[in-house]
């Protein structure tokens, strides 16, 4: 047995919880939980369970459904180094009870909705676990045996994460078993580590990523979403079932970058005609697994998600989530499809596929056979079920192989999927052992029972013979014992089962019999008909959702029963369209959540005239003028906490950076994510120096514009840099690397544009600075034509660092909007410059200088403030849309202004600003504290710079931030297109307009 330790599964999560605690970890509807919040909760639960159990729990059951508790319950198990055992409260309690007994769990975490099941689940359990119900009071029947929120409040935090050995259990999942009892598949830390290591190497999940979570937690594919997100600092976006009905808005709002689902979700969207080209622009990875991926679905999804790579993954639960992959290539993949199904592709490193015949002998290359798997991801066998293990595993060539039951054909290193070789099937992504369903039907009273996937891959049909149980009784019993996806849609009776020459039931002849008999279901629905003919809405719903007719009443609503989930809702909408001939828009889909609403929509009965809904389908959207309070995206660049007065670049405090970093350091930090080492600093210096070499045509343009405001000159010159740059002028910056190189050169070019324009309007020639000079020295030398004083360099450096970025301000947002349209980086920066020139943005500092001149002496400050406030006008240099306390940048600018004033022996203007600040002190509680513009302009005036250079100096500093945001947008692009509520007149006519008479 292997005893060496491997990195703990939760180590990545803990690293981000420590270094980036505010980063979003879990998105649940409107609630966003940070890494810090999730870490605190899970460690508290872990500590409580450890103490209550008397030792570290080995296996932790998690009973919950897409809830905060169910997700953090898994995290708790990971941090404890325990195996988590997902349990679905929507499954029959008898089935869940069997899983609890088999798993022999030490602890059970239960969410609020499932807490009511505890009395029945725990009653008589051979070894009762420690129970934690952290979100509610435990049911009275288990009161005193369960830990609750009160216990959590008094618990400490788990201090360290235990180490894990490769043979330790990571999770235990139960799948369908042929004997009627679920079988457990134990996956070890070694199995899971092998999987996670390769898929992270392949997909390079980053902290900016946001992963969809579409699967039930009892489906092993959900483990990919949780651990790939949390081990790499990304966010897990847990989609509600209704979100899967029409996921486009959800993905766009939450900027989801990685999609993972069963192909059925995409197929239903395609069937409804909503999977439109370009409708999924945020995705960079589109992954499918769990069942065969049809070629047409792959093609349609690729067109809908043009910015993403589409991949088809394959793998049984026994081989840890997925172990083979095919990357969809529109030019090549269609020709590789067999039976219109996308290949399963090539196997992960270390995996050993073997294709065998019925006697387990390897087949010749290119021949069809059963796929068997060996390798680091394959489980050693079924949980405490040696006989099952002996049937499904065998030794060959020194390796232990698992028999998948899947038929494949190898084409070199690529494998094509041909279908199932046994009675195990997949419907809707769920693996179903047909024998388990047949066993339940026999137990319910049928003498013989055979289940088939017929007439399509989404429909489970049962044929029974003998016995006294009626068809409704069989259906009822199956629904009571089995999950909805395992319950047959149709149960047909036959007098005698057809047999083959060996005396076994001939399933092929049963399929023929179903076809010859018309394929009519239990509700009178004839399969294959173009239109479903029913007598009422209730019958249509019963037929589509596979529920008894008497269960369908006006009070029945979406999510009120298991069968009416998101996929069921899509199927119901399709049936409505086919039956009543009325198109169901996405808005209608979200409104038709009850039988009453559906009846109102279609009009009662087949022959009724369809009337529109009497109530509006949607409520008017709230209008947020100026996008105030709206979070439009997530960024890793700058953290601004307006309430606390905090400003951080990539986690570094502005106070730390102002004191200890150069502008080049900060530029590298903003763009690359970390401070530069010696080699990176030299490389950045070289790139900035290259940007300072302005094309002659640009210099001539600036000479011709010497009489205009410097901001107007910049607006003309930045596009000219792109136009006349021999290396980057003809490019559109579609490549990230090209955009980064052009962006860094632009940071070097902008100070030279300002300096050259100032030289020409001052009547002198522009002299390029020596390339050995640093960024600030080079700018000041070119600007003044002389060597700057050290104190001047320090002041300007601090000013540029302070202005380098400020999150989603107006100019940065403008740059990201332009980038969202896939326009080039020069265009984006030009848009940012235009926004910065406005008096409510960067231009405010220039207007503060006029304020000083108008006030004249400190004694006039209070009267000026009162007069300005009475007129309802702003006092420039005060107030900020984000900060509700003093802007943290103000103290540094004022301290430098103090030094410069003392050097000149004249602090009158400083006293004026201080007097204005004193007069405005009474308004601080209203959010009107000093902002960064108050002292910036005076500092440049004391350096003898013209006042109209105040805003260009802001632009020089902010250039690094703009470039960083453009690159972040570029890497994970989405078109930024908010809505506008129309409030103008309607119904006007050109011919009837009185003004035309």
């Amino acid at each position: 047995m292997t005893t060496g330790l491997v990195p703990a599964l939760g180590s990545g999560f803990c690293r981000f919880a420590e270094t980036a605690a505010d980063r979003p970890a879990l998105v649940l509807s409107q609630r966003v939980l940070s890494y810090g919040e999730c870490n605190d909760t899970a460690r508290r639960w872990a500590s409580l369970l450890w103490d209550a159990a008397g030792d570290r729990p080995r296996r932790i059951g998690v009973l919950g459904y897409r809830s905060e508790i169910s997700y953090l319950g898994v995290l708790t198990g990971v941090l404890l180094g325990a195996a988590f055992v997902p349990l679905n409260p929507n499954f029959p309690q008898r089935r869940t009870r069997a899983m609890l007994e088999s798993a022999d769990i030490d602890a059970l975490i239960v969410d609020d909705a499932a807490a009511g099941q505890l009395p029945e689940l725990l009653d008589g359990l051979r070894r009762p676990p420690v129970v934690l119900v952290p979100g509610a009071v435990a049911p009275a029947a288990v009161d005193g045996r369960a830990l609750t929120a009160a216990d959590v409040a008094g618990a400490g935090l788990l201090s360290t994460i235990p180490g894990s050995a490769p043979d330790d259990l990571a999770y235990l999942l139960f799948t369908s078993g042929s004997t009627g009892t679920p079988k457990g598949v134990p996956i070890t830390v070694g199995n899971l580590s092998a999987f996670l290591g390769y898929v992270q190497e392949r997909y390079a999940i980053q902290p900016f990523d946001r992963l969809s979570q579409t699967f039930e937690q009892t489906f092993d594919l959900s483990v990919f979403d949780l651990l790939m997100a949390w081990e790499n600092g990304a966010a897990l976006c847990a989609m509600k079932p209704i979100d899967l009905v029409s996921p486009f808005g959800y993905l766009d709002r939450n900027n989801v970058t990685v999609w993972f689902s069963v192909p059925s979700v995409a197929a239903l969207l395609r069937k409804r005609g909503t999977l439109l080209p370009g409708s999924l622009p945020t995705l960079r990875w589109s992954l499918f697994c769990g069942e065969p991926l049809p070629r047409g679905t792959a093609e349609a999804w690729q067109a809908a998600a043009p910015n993403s790579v589409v991949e088809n993954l394959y793998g049984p639960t026994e081989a840890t989530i997925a172990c083979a992959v095919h990357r969809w290539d529109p030019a090549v993949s269609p020709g590789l499809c067999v039976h219109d199904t996308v290949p399963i592709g090539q196997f992960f490193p270390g995996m050993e596929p073997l294709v065998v015949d019925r006697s387990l002998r390897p087949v010749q290359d290119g021949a069809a056979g059963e796929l068997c798997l060996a390798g680091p991801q394959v489980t050693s066998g079924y949980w405490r079920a040696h006989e099952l293990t002996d049937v499904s595993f065998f030794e060959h060539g020194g390796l232990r192989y698992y028999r998948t039951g899947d038929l494949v054909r190898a084409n070199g290193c690529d494998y094509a999927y041909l279908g199932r070789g046994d009675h195990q099937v997949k419907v809707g992504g769920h693996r179903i052992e047909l024998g388990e369903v047949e066993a339940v039907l026999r137990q319910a009273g049928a003498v013989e029972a055979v289940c088939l996937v017929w007439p399509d891959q989404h429909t489970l049909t049962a044929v029974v013979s003998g016995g006294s149980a009626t068809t409704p009784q069989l259906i009822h019993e199956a629904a009571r014992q089995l999950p909805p996806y395992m319950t047959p849609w149709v149960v047909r009776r036959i007098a005698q089962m057809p047999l083959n020459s060996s005396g076994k039931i001939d399933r092929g002849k049963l399929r023929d019999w179903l076809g010859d008999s018309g394929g009519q279901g239990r509700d009178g629905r004839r399969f294959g008909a173009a239109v479903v003919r029913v007598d009422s809405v209730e019958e249509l719903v019963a037929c589509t959702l596979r529920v008894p007719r008497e269960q369908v009443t006006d009070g029945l609503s979406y999510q009120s029963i298991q069968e009416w989930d998101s996929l069921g809702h899509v199927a119901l909408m399709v049936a409505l369209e086919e039956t009543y001939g009325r198109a169901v828009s996405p808005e209608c889909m979200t409104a038709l959540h009850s039988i009453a609403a559906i009846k109102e929509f279609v009009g009662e009965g087949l022959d009724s005239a369809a009337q529109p809904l009497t109530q509006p389908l949607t409520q008017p959207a709230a209008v947020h003028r100026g996008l105030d309070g709206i979070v439009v995206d997530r960024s890793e660049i700058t953290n601004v906490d307006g309430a606390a007065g905090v400003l951080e670049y990539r986690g570094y405090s502005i106070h730390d950076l102002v004191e200890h970093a150069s502008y080049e350091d900060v530029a590298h930090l903003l763009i690359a994510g970390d401070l530069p080492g010696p080699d990176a600093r030299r490389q950045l210096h070289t790139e900035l120096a290259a940007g300072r070499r302005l094309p002659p045509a640009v210099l001539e343009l600036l000479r011709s514009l010497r009489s205009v405001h410097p901001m107007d000159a910049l607006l003309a010159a930045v596009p000219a840099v792109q136009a006349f740059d021999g290396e980057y002028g003809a490019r559109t910056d579609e490549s990230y690397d090209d955009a980064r190189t052009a962006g860094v050169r632009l940071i070097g070019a902008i100070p030279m544009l300002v300096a050259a324009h100032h030289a020409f309007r001052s009547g002198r020639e522009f002299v390029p600075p020596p390339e050995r000079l640093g960024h600030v020295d080079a700018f000041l030398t070119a600007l003044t034509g002389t060597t700057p004083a050290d104190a001047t360099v320090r002041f300007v450096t601090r000013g540029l660092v302070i202005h380098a970025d400020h999150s989603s301000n107006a100019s940065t947002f403008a740059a990201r909007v332009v980038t969202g349209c896939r326009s080039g980086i020069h265009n984006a920066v030009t848009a940012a410059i235009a926004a910065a020139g406005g008096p409510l943005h960067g231009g405010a500092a220039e207007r503060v200088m006029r304020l000083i001149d108008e006030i004249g002496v400190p004694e006039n400050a209070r009267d000026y403030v009162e007069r300005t406030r009475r007129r309802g006008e702003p006092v420039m240099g005060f107030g900020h849309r984000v900060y509700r306390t003093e802007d943290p940048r103000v103290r540094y600018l004022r301290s430098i202004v103090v030094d410069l004033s003392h050097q000149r022996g004249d602090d009158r203007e400083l006293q004026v600003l201080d007097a204005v600040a004193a007069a405005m002190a009474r308004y601080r509680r209203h959010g009107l504290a000093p902002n960064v513009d108050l002292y910036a302009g005076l500092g440049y005036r004391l350096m003898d710079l013209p006042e109209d250079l105040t805003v260009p100096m802001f632009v020089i500093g902010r250039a690094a931030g703009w470039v960083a945001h453009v690159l972040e947008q570029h890497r994970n692009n989405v078109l930024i297109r908010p809505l506008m509520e129309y409030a103008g007149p309607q119904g006007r006519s050109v011919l009837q307009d009185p003004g035309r008479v």
Side-chain angles (χ1 to χ4, degrees), residues 858 861-862 865-866 878 910-924 928 930 934-935:
R862 184 169 299 277
V865 167
E866 295 306 320
F878 293 86
L910 172 60
Q911 290 184 34
V912 169
L913 291 183
D914 285 345
V916 173
M920 288 289 293
R922 59 185 295 194
Y923 300 107
R924 279 181 176 243
L928 296 180
L934 184 61
Y935 295 100

Short mmCIF file of all heavy atoms in Angstrom, two decimals, residues 858 861-862 865-866 878 910-924 928 930 934-935:
data_model
loop_
_atom_site.label_atom_id
_atom_site.label_comp_id
_atom_site.label_asym_id
_atom_site.label_seq_id
_atom_site.Cartn_x
_atom_site.Cartn_y
_atom_site.Cartn_z
N PRO A 858 -7.17 82.79 2.06
CA PRO A 858 -7.88 81.79 2.88
C PRO A 858 -9.14 82.33 3.52
O PRO A 858 -10.12 81.58 3.70
CB PRO A 858 -6.84 81.38 3.93
CG PRO A 858 -5.52 81.69 3.31
CD PRO A 858 -5.74 82.88 2.44
N ALA A 861 -12.53 81.59 1.85
CA ALA A 861 -12.88 80.21 1.51
C ALA A 861 -14.29 79.84 1.98
O ALA A 861 -15.08 79.27 1.22
CB ALA A 861 -11.85 79.24 2.11
N ARG A 862 -14.63 80.18 3.24
CA ARG A 862 -15.92 79.77 3.76
C ARG A 862 -17.06 80.41 2.96
O ARG A 862 -18.05 79.75 2.64
CB ARG A 862 -16.03 80.13 5.24
CG ARG A 862 -17.34 79.65 5.89
CD ARG A 862 -17.29 79.78 7.39
NE ARG A 862 -16.24 78.98 7.97
CZ ARG A 862 -16.35 77.67 8.23
NH1 ARG A 862 -17.49 77.05 7.96
NH2 ARG A 862 -15.34 77.01 8.76
N VAL A 865 -17.47 78.63 -0.37
CA VAL A 865 -18.12 77.34 -0.24
C VAL A 865 -19.63 77.50 -0.06
O VAL A 865 -20.43 76.80 -0.71
CB VAL A 865 -17.52 76.55 0.95
CG1 VAL A 865 -18.39 75.34 1.30
CG2 VAL A 865 -16.10 76.11 0.63
N GLU A 866 -20.06 78.42 0.79
CA GLU A 866 -21.48 78.58 1.04
C GLU A 866 -22.20 79.06 -0.21
O GLU A 866 -23.31 78.61 -0.52
CB GLU A 866 -21.69 79.55 2.22
CG GLU A 866 -21.16 79.04 3.56
CD GLU A 866 -21.70 77.67 3.91
OE1 GLU A 866 -22.89 77.41 3.68
OE2 GLU A 866 -20.91 76.83 4.40
N PHE A 878 -13.85 67.74 -4.09
CA PHE A 878 -14.53 67.10 -2.97
C PHE A 878 -15.59 66.12 -3.48
O PHE A 878 -16.28 66.40 -4.47
CB PHE A 878 -15.20 68.14 -2.06
CG PHE A 878 -14.21 69.02 -1.34
CD1 PHE A 878 -13.72 70.17 -1.95
CD2 PHE A 878 -13.76 68.68 -0.08
CE1 PHE A 878 -12.80 70.97 -1.31
CE2 PHE A 878 -12.84 69.49 0.58
CZ PHE A 878 -12.35 70.63 -0.04
N LEU A 910 -1.65 76.85 -0.76
CA LEU A 910 -1.90 75.67 0.07
C LEU A 910 -2.88 76.03 1.19
O LEU A 910 -3.80 75.27 1.49
CB LEU A 910 -0.59 75.16 0.66
CG LEU A 910 -0.70 74.05 1.72
CD1 LEU A 910 -1.37 72.82 1.15
CD2 LEU A 910 0.69 73.71 2.28
N GLN A 911 -2.69 77.21 1.79
CA GLN A 911 -3.60 77.65 2.84
C GLN A 911 -5.02 77.83 2.31
O GLN A 911 -6.00 77.55 3.02
CB GLN A 911 -3.11 78.96 3.46
CG GLN A 911 -1.84 78.81 4.30
CD GLN A 911 -1.45 80.11 4.96
OE1 GLN A 911 -2.30 80.91 5.34
NE2 GLN A 911 -0.14 80.33 5.10
N VAL A 912 -5.15 78.29 1.07
CA VAL A 912 -6.48 78.44 0.48
C VAL A 912 -7.18 77.09 0.40
O VAL A 912 -8.35 76.94 0.79
CB VAL A 912 -6.40 79.09 -0.91
CG1 VAL A 912 -7.74 78.99 -1.63
CG2 VAL A 912 -5.97 80.55 -0.80
N LEU A 913 -6.46 76.08 -0.10
CA LEU A 913 -7.07 74.75 -0.22
C LEU A 913 -7.38 74.16 1.16
O LEU A 913 -8.43 73.53 1.35
CB LEU A 913 -6.15 73.81 -1.00
CG LEU A 913 -5.99 74.11 -2.49
CD1 LEU A 913 -5.12 73.06 -3.16
CD2 LEU A 913 -7.33 74.20 -3.19
N ASP A 914 -6.49 74.36 2.12
CA ASP A 914 -6.76 73.86 3.46
C ASP A 914 -7.98 74.54 4.06
O ASP A 914 -8.79 73.92 4.77
CB ASP A 914 -5.54 74.07 4.35
CG ASP A 914 -4.42 73.08 4.05
OD1 ASP A 914 -4.69 72.07 3.36
OD2 ASP A 914 -3.28 73.32 4.49
N ALA A 915 -8.14 75.86 3.77
CA ALA A 915 -9.30 76.59 4.29
C ALA A 915 -10.59 76.08 3.64
O ALA A 915 -11.63 75.98 4.29
CB ALA A 915 -9.12 78.09 4.04
N VAL A 916 -10.52 75.77 2.36
CA VAL A 916 -11.69 75.20 1.68
C VAL A 916 -12.03 73.84 2.29
O VAL A 916 -13.21 73.53 2.53
CB VAL A 916 -11.44 75.07 0.16
CG1 VAL A 916 -12.59 74.34 -0.50
CG2 VAL A 916 -11.23 76.43 -0.47
N ALA A 917 -10.99 73.03 2.56
CA ALA A 917 -11.22 71.72 3.18
C ALA A 917 -11.87 71.88 4.55
O ALA A 917 -12.77 71.11 4.92
CB ALA A 917 -9.91 70.96 3.29
N ALA A 918 -11.45 72.90 5.32
CA ALA A 918 -12.04 73.13 6.63
C ALA A 918 -13.50 73.55 6.50
O ALA A 918 -14.36 73.12 7.28
CB ALA A 918 -11.23 74.19 7.38
N ALA A 919 -13.78 74.42 5.51
CA ALA A 919 -15.16 74.87 5.31
C ALA A 919 -16.06 73.72 4.85
O ALA A 919 -17.27 73.73 5.10
CB ALA A 919 -15.19 76.01 4.30
N MET A 920 -15.49 72.72 4.16
CA MET A 920 -16.27 71.58 3.68
C MET A 920 -16.37 70.44 4.69
O MET A 920 -17.03 69.44 4.43
CB MET A 920 -15.63 71.03 2.39
CG MET A 920 -15.81 71.93 1.17
SD MET A 920 -17.53 71.94 0.59
CE MET A 920 -17.71 70.26 0.03
N ALA A 921 -15.73 70.61 5.86
CA ALA A 921 -15.69 69.52 6.84
C ALA A 921 -17.08 69.12 7.28
O ALA A 921 -17.35 67.94 7.54
CB ALA A 921 -14.84 69.94 8.03
N ARG A 922 -18.01 70.08 7.36
CA ARG A 922 -19.36 69.79 7.81
C ARG A 922 -20.10 68.87 6.85
O ARG A 922 -21.12 68.27 7.21
CB ARG A 922 -20.14 71.09 8.00
CG ARG A 922 -20.25 71.91 6.72
CD ARG A 922 -20.92 73.24 6.96
NE ARG A 922 -22.32 73.07 7.35
CZ ARG A 922 -23.20 74.07 7.36
NH1 ARG A 922 -22.80 75.30 7.06
NH2 ARG A 922 -24.45 73.85 7.70
N TYR A 923 -19.62 68.79 5.60
CA TYR A 923 -20.29 67.97 4.60
C TYR A 923 -19.68 66.57 4.45
O TYR A 923 -20.11 65.78 3.60
CB TYR A 923 -20.27 68.67 3.25
CG TYR A 923 -20.94 70.03 3.26
CD1 TYR A 923 -20.20 71.20 3.19
CD2 TYR A 923 -22.33 70.14 3.35
CE1 TYR A 923 -20.80 72.44 3.20
CE2 TYR A 923 -22.95 71.38 3.38
CZ TYR A 923 -22.18 72.53 3.31
OH TYR A 923 -22.79 73.76 3.33
N ARG A 924 -18.66 66.27 5.26
CA ARG A 924 -18.01 64.96 5.15
C ARG A 924 -18.99 63.82 5.39
O ARG A 924 -18.91 62.78 4.75
CB ARG A 924 -16.86 64.85 6.15
CG ARG A 924 -15.56 65.50 5.69
CD ARG A 924 -14.48 65.33 6.74
NE ARG A 924 -13.22 65.86 6.27
CZ ARG A 924 -12.13 65.12 6.07
NH1 ARG A 924 -12.19 63.82 6.28
NH2 ARG A 924 -11.02 65.67 5.65
N LEU A 928 -18.80 64.10 1.16
CA LEU A 928 -18.03 65.13 0.44
C LEU A 928 -16.69 65.37 1.14
O LEU A 928 -16.42 66.45 1.67
CB LEU A 928 -18.84 66.42 0.34
CG LEU A 928 -20.12 66.33 -0.49
CD1 LEU A 928 -20.85 67.67 -0.51
CD2 LEU A 928 -19.80 65.89 -1.90
N PRO A 930 -12.35 65.36 0.88
CA PRO A 930 -11.39 65.71 -0.17
C PRO A 930 -11.07 64.51 -1.05
O PRO A 930 -10.94 63.38 -0.57
CB PRO A 930 -10.15 66.15 0.62
CG PRO A 930 -10.69 66.63 1.94
CD PRO A 930 -11.85 65.72 2.24
N LEU A 934 -7.95 67.56 -5.34
CA LEU A 934 -7.84 68.80 -4.58
C LEU A 934 -6.43 69.37 -4.61
O LEU A 934 -6.25 70.58 -4.79
CB LEU A 934 -8.29 68.55 -3.13
CG LEU A 934 -8.33 69.79 -2.23
CD1 LEU A 934 -9.31 70.82 -2.77
CD2 LEU A 934 -8.70 69.40 -0.79
N TYR A 935 -5.41 68.51 -4.44
CA TYR A 935 -4.03 69.03 -4.34
C TYR A 935 -3.19 68.71 -5.57
O TYR A 935 -2.08 69.21 -5.70
CB TYR A 935 -3.35 68.44 -3.10
CG TYR A 935 -3.97 68.89 -1.81
CD1 TYR A 935 -4.86 68.07 -1.12
CD2 TYR A 935 -3.68 70.15 -1.27
CE1 TYR A 935 -5.44 68.48 0.07
CE2 TYR A 935 -4.26 70.57 -0.07
CZ TYR A 935 -5.14 69.73 0.59
OH TYR A 935 -5.72 70.15 1.77
#
